[in-house]
């Protein structure tokens, strides 16, 4: 990764709301602690808006193209097929006013578009990605690594993979007395979350 993500239809793993929240969480983790929560809401809103209106596969490249439409900078060539269909462009264009035209929203929209395009421009991998649910087996150790020559892209990929795993864990059944610990090492930044049952028969959850 991130090259393995390029051809993946993200709808196979996420609903529109789940993808929006996962990407928003990854972007929020790049901000200083105590950052503006409104930006998280804007990030999730613009990603979900585009994802809801894409009729075909939701790939990183098509998501970035949809964000360009919201910014009114998508270059559609009538003489050749592009990443988006005419009906998709029309639908997203109609949503421009719903997203908002304020400076704050537009600045954040440009940021989300730039970060999404950063992932979409990764060098393609030899093998396609697999669902995160297939990355490990219960009771075993799984190591997931990323690599990219562009530090910013690797950093964002690491964060997206971490929150993608958390999304998958939230939907997994956990046997009583067992759990899964996710540890992410990103440069000097170490993140960990535990998924499992609380002592005394409590329900499962993801704990930081």
């Amino acid at each position: 990764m991130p090259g393995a993500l390029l051809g993946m239809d993200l709808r196979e793993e996420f609903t529109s709301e789940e993808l929006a929240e996962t990407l928003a969480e990854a972007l929020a983790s790049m901000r200083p602690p105590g950052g503006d929560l409104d930006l998280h809401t804007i990030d999730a809103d613009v990603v979900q808006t585009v994802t809801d209106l894409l009729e075909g596969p939701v790939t990183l490249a098509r998501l970035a193209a949809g964000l360009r439409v919201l910014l009114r900078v998508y270059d559609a060539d009538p003489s050749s097929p592009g990443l988006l269909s005419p009906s998709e462009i029309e639908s997203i264009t109609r949503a421009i006013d719903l997203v908002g035209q304020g400076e704050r929203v537009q600045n954040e929209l440009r940021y989300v578009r730039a970060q999404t395009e950063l992932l979409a421009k990764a060098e393609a991998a030899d093998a396609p990605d697999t669902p995160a649910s297939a990355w490990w087996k219960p009771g075993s150790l799984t190591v997931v690594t990323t690599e990219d020559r562009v530090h910013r892209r690797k950093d964002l990929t690491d964060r997206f993979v971490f929150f993608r795993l958390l999304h998958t864990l939230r939907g997994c059944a956990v046997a009583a007395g067992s759990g899964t610990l996710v540890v992410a090492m990103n440069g000097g930044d170490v993140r960990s979350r535990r998924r499992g049952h609380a002592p005394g028969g409590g329900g499962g959850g993801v704990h930081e």
Side-chain angles (χ1 to χ4, degrees):
M1 284 181 284
L5 284 169
L6 297 183
M8 180 182 180
D9 182 356
L10 297 169
R11 274 207 184 102
E12 296 177 359
E13 194 165 315
F14 301 93
T15 65
S16 295
E17 184 177 22
E18 290 167 347
L19 175 59
E21 187 60 27
T22 300
L23 188 53
E25 286 181 317
L27 295 175
S29 72
M30 300 171 72
R31 302 186 183 104
D36 197 331
L37 293 178
D38 286 351
L39 298 180
H40 183 109
T41 302
I42 294 170
D43 295 348
D45 183 43
V46 297
V47 171
Q48 185 172 354
T49 295
V50 172
T51 306
D52 281 339
L53 296 173
L54 291 178
E55 301 162 2
V58 178
T59 62
L60 290 172
R62 282 170 46 78
L63 176 58
L67 293 169
R68 278 186 163 273
V69 175
L70 282 184
L71 279 169
R72 302 179 188 268
V73 294
Y74 182 73
D75 187 15
D77 184 355
S79 64
S80 62
L83 286 170
L84 305 179
S85 69
S87 61
E88 288 174 326
I89 296 172
E90 182 180 354
S91 297
I92 298 173
T93 300
R94 287 200 299 266
I96 288 176
D97 290 335
L98 296 176
V99 169
Q101 294 299 302
E103 182 179 0
R104 184 178 178 81
V105 172
Q106 290 298 299
N107 286 341
E108 191 62 17
L109 177 54
R110 279 190 284 271
Y111 174 71
V112 177
R113 187 272 307 164
Q115 296 300 318
T116 306
E117 284 191 345
L118 183 66
L119 291 177
K121 291 178 179 179
E123 184 177 347
D126 294 332
D129 197 5
T130 56
S133 58
W135 287 356
W136 73 85
K137 296 179 180 180
S140 62
L141 173 67
T142 299
V143 178
V144 180
T145 63
T146 67
E147 60 179 49
D148 198 284
R149 294 180 180 179
V150 179
H151 173 74
R152 288 191 305 123
R153 182 158 46 231
K154 184 184 185 321
D155 178 61
L156 179 55
T157 302
D158 290 344
R159 296 170 190 274
F160 180 72
V161 167
F162 180 78
F163 288 102
R164 181 182 172 191
L165 278 169
L166 289 186
H167 159 72
T168 300
L169 287 173
R170 289 174 184 135
C172 292
V174 178
S178 66
T180 301
L181 177 65
V182 180
V183 178
M185 183 70 179
N186 181 16
D189 182 14
V190 179
R191 297 173 181 272
S192 66
R193 301 232 181 147
R194 184 173 184 84
R195 167 69 156 91
H197 281 268
V206 177
H207 311 284
E208 189 167 8

